[in-house]
Amino acid sequence: MTSLRIDRLGIEAFRGITGRLELDLRSPLTLVYASNGTGKTTLCDAAEWLMTAAVERLSVRDAAGLDELRSGFAPDAFPKVDADIEVDGVASVLARGFDGASIAVAGEAPIPVGPNDLLEILAPDGAGPGRHQRNATALRRQWLRGARFLSVETLAALLDTDDDTVERRRRVFSDLLGVRQQADAKDRIRQYADALRPTLALLTKEIEKARATADAARAGVGDDPGSAASSREIEAAEKELGLTPSVDRLGTAAAEVARRRQALTAQADALQVVMTEWRHRRELRRALEGEGAAERDAATEDSQDRMQQANARVRDAEADIRAVELRRRRLEELGANLSRQLSAFTTECEFLATDIGLPARPPLQVVREAVPQARLPTARRVAVEREIQGLLSRYLDIQTWSARLAETEAALAEVRSEPRGPEEIQSLADTLSRAEHDLAAAVERLEREAGPMQRLRAAGEAFLRHDHDATQCPTCGHDWQSHGKLLAEVQALMDRTPAFVAVAQESVDRATLAVAACRSSLSAATQAAERERRLTAELAQLRQNIARFERSARSAGIDPEPASTFEGRLRKEAACLRLAASLLETDGLGDLLATGFGVAVDDRAPLPAARARLDRDIAERAAAVGLERLQLGEALDGARSAVAALVSANSERAAADERARERRASIQARLDALVGGWTRLAGQRAWTEANLAIVRSEITDETARLERAEAHIAAADAAIARENRREGLAAAEANLSRLQARLTSVTRKQAAADRAYRAFDTHYQEASRRQVDALRDIVNPLFARMHANKVYDSIGFGEGDDLLRWRSDIGGRSFDPGRNFSQGQRQDLALALFIARARSLGGTFFLDEPVIHLDDVNRVGLLDVLRASAISGRHRTNLVVTTSSRAMARHLIEKFDRVEGAGPRGDGIPILRVYELRGNGRDGVESIERYPPPS
């Protein structure tokens, strides 16, 4: 088996990894943990793409789907993956980008390498010998992915038992057991034998068909020679038809019979037509001449003129009625609109009467005189109305501004009564600076003078804590006669505070009070200056707002002074403008009604009376228009009756003429059929009974002659068919012999292929069984350690042809893991199989989230297996495990810290290396080496 090791992996601009990410994978166990979306699966995808030019889960293969690999946060960058690899002890650098892959042996320049050649280097055992290049590439790519990467698809191949994964699982275990070559040879023999079976079935069907053909030919041959009989019959047919011998005698005779039979059929049809009308030929001619004399013109010019005049009168009457209807609808619409407008205008006048000074129920003329704004140009009136509405909406603001203006002026005057100019603020700041300087000097003097005293007090306290009675040291009792006297003097010294220290402390306290007072004064002065600035800015803004409002009022024609009447004048102007718009709309409708229908509004009458009088006038005018419509309707009915009478008379005349034309056409058709039939039968001969009898006799003779010729031709065809069957019998018997010989040959090949398959299968089963026993010894301990809740006693293989199907044993009973295991148990078994396989193959293997379905206890079991595999296979197998569990990383580090032999190897490479990935595709992903800790 080829050993493939990855010592270093570099990734750049690949899916969620935007920047450069490089990992050292030389340790027997490398753990990469990170939160979801950081790049754990991307790491495995990058390694798969580097080796196979494909990412199975993303449907990326060769040049198809490469855009799926690009980073969405670096659209201008192209994915690149590179690695330091070692294949069977040969170190090289492998790199892949969108432009392809390259490989460089240590110290040499990179050489471009295609997918097929690269897969042959990395996985030469992935495809058996003699495979087509395309098939070999697919097999090696699948083998590399299944052997080096633990994913959902790999778990399905190891555990599922459905028909779609049986063949792939068989190839996986063939590689694992080292019998791939025997399995491929056995499969090729089986394919050869299977390919022969359709050929055998086809040959059997062809032999049956050939045998039936020979039997049918043998049954129809007969005893007489067909060639002589066919010649006699053909000569007799030629004699009947008056033909001379030709190359294709039978075909010529048959064609002549067909031609003459067609002609005879046409003559018989013509004879039937002639016999049908023969007795009526004279009556038909006389009837045709009579119908021709009776035919007359269907319509005269006079009737057409009358019809056109009547239609014109109908159209004129309809146009008049439409015009009257339009006038009536227009009258009613304008009247209703004006009536509604007058009602609304009356209500508006009543509502605004107080603001404008109108009397109760005023006439229109009085309203016009009270509202001069209605005489303004439309643009000017609309502009003034907009300004008035704006003034009304801001009137409450102007009151608020005026009140605030007075308050602001008073506050500003109060602030300015106590001046706080820049010179005074600067003077206060200088005073504060001097006070802070004095405070710093006083503190420094206090610390300088009190420092030795504090040290003396510390020494005294240490002396007092000393156990003088126990030690009886001579130093303590020197010149003091007793220890008690010494302790009393030291305590008295510590209780006395020197006067200079107290003086220094008083200076610090006075300086602190002075600094606080200066700061308070400076803060008050600064706040007063800031308040004066804010009040000044607010006062300017208020005056500007008030001035802008007064300019708008003057522009609208309203003097803001005196202020006491300003609101009343403003509301009166708004009411006048509102009433002016309604008045103009009323006058517009009245003008339309007066101009079009002569109905006017009485502008001297009070508004309610004017509206009632308008409704009466409109009703009277509408009644007059209705009467006019009635008269026009009666005229239209008379015109339509005249048109209907003319149409009826013309229809009767046209029907009579049509019947005459139909009778003439029928007679003419019968005469034409009689003449045409006689012409086809007798040509230019006269229409006599004798000529008719001659024609009928000729048709009878020709019919008998053709029937005799057809009988001779049929007899010749039968004789020729017997001769052809005699010739076909020999060909059928020869074809049957050839097919039987080929069937015998293919049968021998089928038997030889079956014998070879059984021999190879026996060898394959024996070799597999020897390897299975060794693999079972590895899988069972691994599964037992990982599966904490031990239910099954052991895991083993199937028997016979079912050798590669897994079986679990419990108390002597057999269970199928694919059906009886839980998801966690199935994953335990899959992990045990994968790790056992990795230890047998050697090299680097990737396990993406292997603990996703495991409970806490089984996760601990997996960590023990990973630790044991890393330590025992430290010189052969490298495992790269990804996880989102920080707890798993911490537990794994603790397990390696507590085990002897888990330290670095002789080359300084640690047994365990733990990386943490941080970041995301937008901000970048970085790797942090968490273990081993830096020395």
Side-chain angles (χ1 to χ4, degrees):
M1 289 290 179
T2 301
S3 174
L4 171 60
R5 184 187 303 276
I6 300 178
D7 292 337
R8 177 195 58 83
L9 181 64
I11 307 170
E12 186 174 350
F14 189 91
R15 290 183 62 77
I17 299 177
T18 305
R20 176 73 178 178
L21 180 67
E22 192 164 305
L23 301 177
D24 186 346
L25 306 181
R26 292 177 297 170
S27 297
L29 178 59
T30 300
L31 180 70
V32 179
Y33 76 90
S35 58
N36 292 331
T38 307
K40 302 185 299 298
T41 302
T42 299
L43 172 69
C44 300
D45 291 342
E48 181 184 352
W49 184 58
L50 173 67
M51 291 188 287
T52 66
V55 180
E56 188 71 19
R57 75 179 188 89
L58 301 177
S59 300
V60 175
R61 182 167 298 174
D62 297 329
L66 288 179
D67 287 339
E68 290 289 334
L69 306 181
R70 301 184 70 166
S71 172
F73 300 100
D76 298 331
F78 294 95
K80 179 182 178 183
V81 182
D82 56 84
D84 295 338
I85 66 172
E86 185 177 309
V87 181
D88 288 340
V90 178
S92 57
V93 178
L94 176 62
R96 181 179 296 281
F98 268 16
D99 53 350
S102 65
I103 190 168
V105 181
E108 299 182 3
I111 300 174
V113 60
N116 302 329
D117 297 334
L118 179 60
L119 288 169
E120 188 173 1
I121 295 172
L122 301 181
D125 303 321
R131 293 281 187 180
H132 187 274
Q133 186 181 48
R134 179 179 299 176
N135 294 335
T137 298
L139 288 174
R140 291 188 176 109
R141 178 177 284 153
Q142 192 173 31
W143 185 90
L144 259 180
R145 185 172 180 274
R148 301 288 171 180
F149 297 89
L150 178 62
S151 61
V152 176
E153 292 79 4
T154 304
L155 291 174
L158 291 176
L159 288 174
D160 290 347
T161 57
D162 56 85
D163 295 338
D164 294 336
T165 59
V166 167
E167 182 58 30
R168 182 180 173 193
R169 191 176 68 257
R170 191 180 302 276
R171 288 195 301 269
V172 167
F173 281 104
S174 296
D175 291 326
L176 180 61
L177 301 177
V179 293
R180 180 62 175 270
Q181 185 173 1
Q182 293 90 326
D184 289 344
K186 183 186 71 168
D187 291 342
R188 286 197 296 273
I189 293 173
R190 171 55 63 192
Q191 292 171 2
Y192 175 70
D194 291 341
L196 290 178
R197 288 189 176 87
T199 305
L200 285 173
L202 180 62
L203 284 174
T204 302
K205 291 181 180 179
E206 289 182 354
I207 287 174
E208 293 175 356
K209 184 178 179 180
R211 185 176 290 111
T213 302
D215 294 341
R218 191 177 296 107
V221 167
D223 298 331
D224 60 328
S227 58
S230 64
S231 298
R232 290 194 305 269
E233 296 296 339
I234 290 175
E235 288 176 0
E238 289 175 343
K239 183 177 180 181
E240 290 289 346
L241 297 173
L243 298 175
T244 58
S246 61
V247 178
D248 184 11
R249 299 173 66 188
L250 183 61
T252 302
E256 180 64 18
V257 168
R259 185 187 65 77
R260 291 169 67 168
R261 174 66 71 182
Q262 184 178 5
L264 180 62
T265 301
Q267 287 181 332
D269 294 340
L271 177 62
Q272 184 178 2
V273 173
V274 170
M275 295 304 297
T276 301
E277 302 291 348
W278 181 260
R279 295 180 180 180
H280 309 289
R281 60 186 184 278
R282 294 183 179 86
E283 290 82 354
L284 290 173
R285 289 184 181 277
R286 288 194 295 270
L288 183 63
E289 292 173 356
E291 290 293 339
E295 186 177 1
R296 61 185 178 274
D297 192 3
T300 62
E301 184 177 355
D302 182 55
S303 65
Q304 292 178 354
D305 291 341
R306 289 198 303 272
M307 179 62 71
Q308 291 176 358
Q309 293 171 2
N311 287 328
R313 287 194 295 273
V314 170
R315 288 193 297 271
D316 293 342
E318 290 175 343
D320 293 340
I321 288 176
R322 286 195 296 272
V324 169
E325 286 288 343
L326 181 62
R327 288 179 57 206
R328 182 180 62 80
R329 288 195 298 271
R330 180 62 174 166
L331 172 63
E332 292 174 351
E333 181 181 357
L334 285 175
N337 290 340
L338 182 55
S339 180
R340 285 194 298 271
Q341 178 60 29
L342 278 175
S343 177
F345 185 72
T346 302
T347 303
E348 193 81 10
C349 289
E350 294 174 354
F351 180 74
L352 300 175
T354 304
D355 293 336
I356 299 176
L358 290 174
R361 302 169 63 187
L364 277 175
Q365 184 176 2
V366 172
V367 176
R368 288 193 186 94
E369 293 173 354
V371 184
Q373 288 83 352
R375 294 188 291 274
L376 292 174
T378 301
R380 174 59 183 166
R381 179 173 53 78
V382 172
V384 171
E385 185 175 7
R386 187 182 300 112
E387 290 178 355
I388 293 298
Q389 292 300 326
L391 291 172
L392 282 174
S393 64
R394 288 180 291 166
Y395 183 71
L396 292 179
D397 294 337
I398 193 63
Q399 292 179 329
T400 302
W401 294 338
S402 299
R404 180 59 185 167
L405 179 64
E407 294 174 359
T408 304
E409 289 176 344
L412 186 60
E414 179 182 356
V415 170
R416 288 176 176 174
S417 64
E418 297 179 3
R420 291 290 188 274
E423 296 81 3
E424 184 177 353
I425 292 175
Q426 183 61 43
S427 176
L428 291 174
D430 294 341
T431 303
L432 174 62
S433 177
R434 290 192 298 273
E436 289 176 343
H437 181 269
D438 294 342
L439 175 61
V443 170
E444 181 182 0
R445 184 169 60 255
L446 175 63
E447 290 178 350
R448 184 174 60 252
E449 294 176 354
M453 188 62 191
Q454 290 177 349
R455 288 194 295 274
L456 178 60
R457 288 180 63 84
E461 290 174 355
F463 180 78
L464 292 176
R465 287 195 301 270
H466 182 61
D467 190 359
H468 302 279
D469 293 334
T471 56
Q472 294 295 326
C473 62
T475 302
C476 294
H478 181 69
D479 292 337
W480 296 98
Q481 288 84 34
S482 68
H483 293 100
K485 186 177 180 180
L486 172 62
L487 293 176
E489 290 296 331
V490 171
Q491 184 64 48
L493 176 64
M494 292 177 60
D495 291 339
R496 292 193 299 272
T497 301
F500 64 86
V501 174
V503 172
Q505 183 62 49
E506 290 178 359
S507 300
V508 170
D509 294 340
R510 286 195 301 272
T512 302
L513 294 175
V515 167
C518 291
R519 285 178 177 170
S520 176
S521 300
L522 178 60
S523 175
T526 304
Q527 291 176 359
E530 177 62 21
R531 185 183 179 195
E532 180 181 0
R533 184 192 63 78
R534 288 198 306 270
L535 290 174
T536 302
E538 183 180 1
L539 184 64
Q541 183 64 42
L542 288 172
R543 288 172 177 171
Q544 183 180 0
N545 293 342
I546 294 172
R548 187 183 300 114
F549 183 85
E550 292 175 350
R551 285 196 300 272
S552 297
R554 291 188 180 92
S555 175
I558 302 175
D559 191 351
E561 297 296 337
S564 58
T565 62
F566 176 74
E567 182 180 3
R569 287 181 286 120
L570 184 63
R571 295 192 180 279
K572 180 180 179 180
E573 184 69 18
C576 290
L577 288 170
R578 177 178 172 182
L579 195 60
S582 181
L583 176 61
L584 289 173
E585 185 175 358
T586 303
D587 289 344
L589 290 173
D591 292 343
L592 290 175
L593 194 62
T595 303
F597 301 97
V599 179
V601 180
D602 187 359
D603 58 356
R604 296 181 181 274
L607 284 175
R611 179 190 175 194
R613 186 175 303 169
L614 174 68
D615 292 340
R616 288 196 304 272
D617 294 344
I618 291 174
E620 292 174 359
R621 185 59 182 161
V625 173
L627 180 61
E628 183 181 358
R629 164 68 176 81
L630 182 62
Q631 295 171 352
L632 289 174
E634 293 175 354
L636 176 62
D637 292 340
R640 285 175 175 171
S641 299
V643 170
L646 289 173
V647 169
S648 177
N650 290 338
S651 299
E652 292 177 358
R653 240 187 335 267
D657 292 340
E658 183 63 27
R659 289 191 295 271
R661 280 194 295 271
E662 290 177 354
R663 289 194 300 271
R664 179 176 175 80
S666 176
I667 295 171
Q668 185 65 49
R670 293 172 65 186
L671 281 175
D672 291 343
L674 179 59
V675 173
W678 180 259
T679 302
R680 290 195 298 273
L681 286 174
Q684 300 299 323
R685 284 180 281 188
W687 290 41
T688 63
E689 294 290 343
N691 288 337
L692 180 60
I694 292 172
V695 170
R696 296 176 67 181
S697 176
E698 291 175 351
I699 292 175
T700 301
D701 294 342
E702 180 67 13
T703 302
R705 189 179 302 110
L706 290 178
E707 289 176 352
R708 291 193 298 273
E710 288 173 343
H712 291 306
I713 291 173
D717 281 335
I720 291 173
R722 288 195 299 275
E723 183 64 24
N724 290 338
R725 283 194 292 271
R726 182 178 288 106
E727 295 174 356
L729 176 59
E733 291 175 344
N735 184 43
L736 180 60
S737 300
R738 180 182 60 80
L739 291 175
Q740 289 175 338
R742 187 179 175 193
L743 177 63
T744 302
S745 175
V746 173
T747 302
R748 293 196 195 95
K749 294 178 180 178
Q750 175 72 45
D754 289 339
R755 290 193 299 272
Y757 176 78
R758 287 192 294 273
F760 271 95
D761 186 60
T762 300
H763 178 70
Y764 169 73
Q765 294 291 344
E766 292 175 354
S768 298
R769 192 173 302 281
R770 288 192 300 270
Q771 297 296 332
V772 159
D773 293 337
L775 184 59
R776 183 188 293 115
D777 295 338
I778 300 175
V779 169
N780 272 306
L782 293 177
F783 178 71
R785 182 61 191 90
M786 280 191 293
H787 187 52
N789 186 13
K790 185 175 181 181
V791 177
Y792 300 97
D793 296 335
S794 63
I795 299 294
F797 290 90
E799 299 295 336
D801 293 337
D802 205 24
L803 180 66
L804 296 183
R805 189 184 298 272
W806 288 95
R807 288 286 183 265
S808 58
D809 180 73
I810 174 172
R813 297 177 60 190
S814 179
F815 293 86
D816 183 356
R819 294 192 301 269
N820 303 119
F821 273 21
S822 67
Q823 288 288 344
Q825 291 170 334
R826 293 171 70 183
Q827 189 167 17
D828 288 340
L829 177 57
L831 289 168
L833 296 176
F834 187 84
I835 294 173
R837 183 182 183 197
R839 293 174 63 175
S840 65
L841 292 177
T844 301
F845 301 85
F846 291 85
L847 294 84
D848 187 20
E849 291 281 9
V851 299
I852 193 169
H853 293 297
L854 299 182
D855 55 31
D856 293 339
V857 177
N858 286 351
R859 289 187 183 186
V860 174
L862 175 61
L863 298 185
D864 290 340
V865 170
L866 293 176
R867 179 185 60 186
S869 299
I871 295 174
S872 61
R874 59 186 353 179
H875 296 291
R876 176 173 173 79
T877 305
N878 292 356
L879 300 178
V880 180
V881 181
T882 69
T883 182
S884 59
S885 173
R886 183 182 296 270
M888 177 180 174
R890 185 178 67 254
H891 292 164
L892 192 61
I893 292 173
E894 291 174 355
K895 284 184 176 294
F896 273 82
D897 279 342
R898 297 174 182 177
V899 174
E900 296 182 2
R905 303 185 311 200
D907 52 6
I909 298 174
I911 301 299
L912 171 67
R913 194 185 303 272
V914 178
Y915 287 105
E916 179 185 4
L917 299 185
R918 285 187 176 180
N920 50 56
R922 182 179 63 183
D923 302 328
V925 176
E926 64 172 347
S927 64
I928 303 173
E929 187 173 345
R930 295 300 187 186
Y931 187 84
S935 57

